[in-house]
Amino acid sequence: MIPVAAILGYGLAAIFVFALYTIVYQYTYWKRRKMLHLESVPIIGNNYPMLFGIDSFPMHAQKMYKKFSGARYYGCFDFRKPVVIIKDPDLIKEICVKNFDDFTDHLTFVTEEMDPIAGRNIFSLKGKRWKDLRSTLTPSYTAARMKLLFELIDECARNFGQYILENPEFAKSFEAKEVFTRYTNDVIATAAFGVKVDSMKDQENEFFMHGKASTTFTSKLLMLKIVLLRNFPRLMRLFGATFLPRSSDKFFKKLINEAVTLRREKDVTRPDTIQLLMQAMDKEGGVNVTMDDILGNAFIFFLAGFDTSSSLMAFMALELAANPDIQEKLQQEVDLQLEKNDGKLTYEALSDMKYLDMVVSETLRKYPPAPITNRVCTRDHVFSPPMQDYPEYRMEKDTVIMIPIYALHRDPQYFPEPEKFDPERFNEENKSKIEAYTYMPFGHGPRQCIGNRFALMETKILMVHVLRKFTIKFIEKTVFPVEFIKLSFNLGAVGKFWLQFEERKKVN
């Protein structure tokens, strides 16, 4: 029997050898390739300011973007993984569109190794599996399908507006992110799961509470769990760890299984992601879709829709309160379009609200849902030199690319006075002048966000119902300008989003 002291000694020696190898690997990796690069912190790499709460996610993106002024790209490390930071719009086009076949995959937030069900979603899948699933799901997000979902979403927005009218004390002071999350919760419940929920009236309904638990990434313990899942997935699975909180994981699996069973038994058809996946699962000789695929994609639809859309609404409300002239102009457009339709909001009337689209676009510029996006090199690819006096760079398969979207959106070279909230950047005359591939709130190319139409529609519908009845204003607790929270993958604000809805004297 080997003594405990010997086992500990071997273990420490193995850790030492591993650490030494990693340090040497990181120190020599870019030098051997004669590549412009940042020196990295041993083992941890260059993302430590974000991981340890020194910088927020968007501020980290902006600082990385500002390194090596004049360079088109440079190298660094994310833990032990080589990463290339892309700063040049022409290279972004090359990666996302022109040579897409060399960069088809994402570095995923949750993988099948980490969680065999949550990892089977369209964002995480790679290669042919991603391509097949994307073609299966695309019909769920066409303009025609959005039109079918319009009435369901509009009902949720009308319920929201009615609750605010009936509760004037609540309207005087509320935290907008949570309030808008209740709306997005109801939208996803009805549009994706076929469940009727009113989260304003039923404040602690099970659907909302599990959704909130599943999308809150500000806990230090949760951040540690995600880091461990990413770096030691097999070990974490041995301990039964799941990406979602365990109770929420069970809740959503049960909910989705019951929804599929009910649709089969009652022959119910709905215009949503679950229906398309069910049809693909039943189709012989087509894409190989299993119940786990339905679970994984319903999960990612919920995760994306629950949090990112409500963040967009909260930032938009904050900017409208900060810019009453813009809010008034938007209210005038809303009033005019509703008046044309006898006070009823229609899909066509929403499409005709051009200034609303400009305001949403400017909100997405200042506060993109994903401050950084990524791609993984799927086969070796040669880039022209990053800057003068450096050779061309042959990117090797599996190298990760990071594109700092937030920093591009705040670069005065592309968007003068970037801190100013100016919807006129996106009017018919000016939007054609925006340099291609510098504005990408939903990404670009075949892997751009598949749900962008849905997110934009649910945001616009709610804002129409809010602005037709209320004016959004600051209160004493409001914090503006925005300071982003740290130790979070969510785009959140320090001090949150405290606002009020003041009822308009004349409404439709």
Side-chain angles (χ1 to χ4, degrees):
M1 187 173 179
I2 303 174
V4 174
I7 293 173
L8 287 173
Y10 290 137
L12 289 171
I15 291 170
F16 175 78
V17 170
F18 173 78
L20 183 62
Y21 169 79
T22 299
I23 291 168
V24 172
Y25 172 78
Q26 289 177 320
Y27 181 74
T28 61
Y29 183 88
W30 296 116
K31 286 181 170 63
R32 283 185 281 116
R33 288 156 180 80
K34 298 179 180 178
M35 170 71 163
L36 180 70
H37 66 279
L38 285 180
E39 295 298 333
S40 67
V41 174
I43 301 175
I44 295 172
N46 297 102
N47 284 338
Y48 67 90
M50 185 179 68
L51 292 170
F52 295 113
I54 299 169
D55 288 326
S56 64
F57 197 8
M59 288 302 101
H60 178 65
Q62 195 161 35
K63 285 184 178 180
M64 294 295 277
Y65 179 80
K66 289 180 178 179
K67 303 287 185 184
F68 302 115
S69 177
R72 301 167 67 224
Y73 60 91
Y74 67 87
C76 61
F77 273 91
D78 178 14
F79 289 100
R80 298 180 63 249
K81 193 175 290 292
V83 172
V84 176
I85 305 294
I86 302 293
K87 304 167 61 177
D88 179 61
D90 289 335
L91 274 183
I92 294 171
K93 179 182 180 180
E94 185 176 332
I95 292 159
C96 295
V97 179
K98 188 177 176 182
N99 295 109
F100 172 74
D101 288 343
D102 292 354
F103 306 96
T104 57
D105 298 340
H106 277 304
L107 176 66
T108 52
F109 191 66
V110 52
T111 66
E112 287 184 78
E113 262 197 314
M114 290 165 58
D115 190 315
I117 292 179
R120 296 181 75 152
N121 66 77
I122 193 168
F123 185 85
S124 299
L125 293 179
K126 303 177 186 297
K128 188 176 185 303
R129 287 183 68 198
W130 164 78
K131 188 176 181 180
D132 288 345
L133 189 61
R134 177 84 182 205
S135 64
T136 299
L137 292 179
T138 295
S140 190
Y141 298 96
T142 60
R145 196 61 67 108
M146 292 302 103
K147 199 169 182 178
L148 290 173
L149 290 172
F150 181 87
E151 287 298 329
L152 291 174
I153 299 172
D154 188 56
E155 183 183 355
C156 294
R158 280 186 274 113
N159 290 342
F160 180 95
Q162 192 59 37
Y163 179 88
I164 302 297
L165 275 178
E166 293 172 358
N167 294 271
E169 285 302 312
F170 177 86
K172 288 179 182 178
S173 175
F174 61 88
E175 204 286 297
K177 176 63 164 62
E178 176 166 345
V179 169
F180 292 143
T181 299
R182 292 184 179 279
Y183 162 73
T184 58
N185 176 76
D186 295 356
V187 167
I188 295 165
T190 187
F193 296 91
V195 177
K196 288 278 186 181
V197 180
D198 189 337
S199 299
M200 296 300 288
K201 289 182 178 178
D202 183 5
Q203 293 271 314
E204 296 190 1
N205 70 80
E206 203 172 10
F207 205 100
F208 176 77
M209 298 309 290
H210 282 293
K212 190 174 180 180
S214 302
T215 57
T216 301
F217 299 111
T218 53
S219 158
K220 290 182 180 180
L221 285 175
L222 182 58
M223 293 282 282
L224 176 62
K225 174 185 169 182
I226 291 170
V227 169
L228 291 173
L229 278 167
R230 277 192 62 184
N231 288 278
F232 308 102
R234 293 179 185 176
L235 179 64
M236 292 295 282
R237 278 179 62 185
L238 283 176
F239 287 102
T242 56
F243 181 75
L244 297 180
R246 198 163 297 181
S247 61
S248 299
D249 186 76
K250 289 180 180 178
F251 171 77
F252 285 114
K253 286 175 182 174
K254 181 173 181 287
L255 182 74
I256 297 160
N257 273 300
E258 287 176 352
V260 170
T261 301
L262 179 66
R263 293 185 194 198
R264 291 197 190 283
E265 290 177 352
K266 303 292 185 183
D267 197 25
V268 174
T269 301
R270 295 176 61 84
D272 60 19
T273 296
I274 291 177
Q275 195 70 41
L276 283 172
L277 288 168
M278 286 174 62
Q279 290 168 2
M281 187 164 63
D282 294 338
K283 187 177 179 180
E284 291 185 10
V287 179
N288 182 26
V289 172
T290 68
M291 192 62 204
D292 285 350
D293 292 307
I294 295 178
L295 290 165
N297 283 282
F299 152 73
I300 201 68
F301 183 89
F302 185 86
L303 184 68
F306 189 91
D307 185 77
T308 55
S309 296
S310 58
S311 292
L312 167 59
M313 296 168 200
F315 283 117
M316 182 174 168
L318 202 62
E319 287 288 354
L320 288 175
N323 298 276
D325 54 327
I326 293 173
Q327 183 171 189
E328 184 178 351
K329 184 175 179 178
L330 184 52
Q331 285 172 322
Q332 289 170 0
E333 179 182 66
V334 167
D335 293 346
L336 179 63
Q337 288 297 329
L338 292 176
E339 188 178 336
K340 287 180 181 179
N341 290 276
D342 298 321
K344 181 176 171 60
L345 179 63
T346 64
Y347 183 82
E348 290 73 22
L350 190 71
S351 301
D352 287 340
M353 295 186 191
K354 304 303 180 186
Y355 194 66
L356 173 60
D357 189 70
M358 290 160 57
V359 172
V360 172
S361 296
E362 176 67 347
T363 306
L364 287 167
R365 182 196 66 81
K366 279 195 76 175
Y367 311 101
I372 298 174
T373 191
N374 65 68
R375 293 291 188 275
V376 177
C377 184
T378 50
R379 61 187 182 202
D380 289 5
H381 185 90
V382 176
F383 287 121
S384 54
M387 63 190 306
Q388 193 174 354
D389 299 327
Y390 280 86
E392 66 179 19
Y393 166 55
R394 177 175 290 276
M395 181 177 287
E396 296 157 81
K397 182 181 176 182
D398 296 329
T399 304
V400 175
I401 286 169
M402 295 287 186
I403 302 172
I405 295 172
Y406 176 88
L408 283 162
H409 287 192
R410 301 279 183 128
D411 188 336
Q413 178 184 350
Y414 308 123
F415 300 97
E417 297 184 85
E419 299 304 317
K420 181 182 179 182
F421 188 80
D422 182 11
E424 295 302 328
R425 300 179 202 272
F426 295 92
N427 65 30
E428 286 301 320
E429 181 184 354
N430 291 333
K431 68 181 179 181
S432 62
K433 299 175 184 176
I434 296 172
E435 185 169 340
Y437 301 93
T438 61
Y439 178 72
M440 47 186 303
F442 297 107
H444 270 305
R447 283 212 83 141
Q448 71 175 325
C449 175
I450 194 172
N452 61 346
R453 273 199 179 102
F454 186 91
L456 292 172
M457 185 171 74
E458 69 171 330
T459 298
K460 291 177 181 179
I461 289 172
L462 181 71
M463 284 302 170
V464 168
H465 282 286
V466 167
L467 293 171
R468 73 187 299 185
K469 296 175 180 177
F470 306 101
T471 297
I472 309 168
K473 292 190 172 183
F474 284 166
I475 59 175
E476 191 176 338
K477 292 168 71 173
T478 306
V479 178
F480 192 84
V482 171
E483 179 186 345
F484 297 108
I485 57 174
K486 299 171 182 176
L487 281 175
S488 175
F489 295 112
N490 303 83
L491 197 66
V494 173
K496 300 189 177 182
F497 300 86
W498 287 97
L499 295 167
Q500 67 168 307
F501 287 151
E502 182 181 275
E503 190 175 353
R504 295 175 66 190
K505 293 178 182 178
K506 182 181 179 180
V507 298
N508 292 314

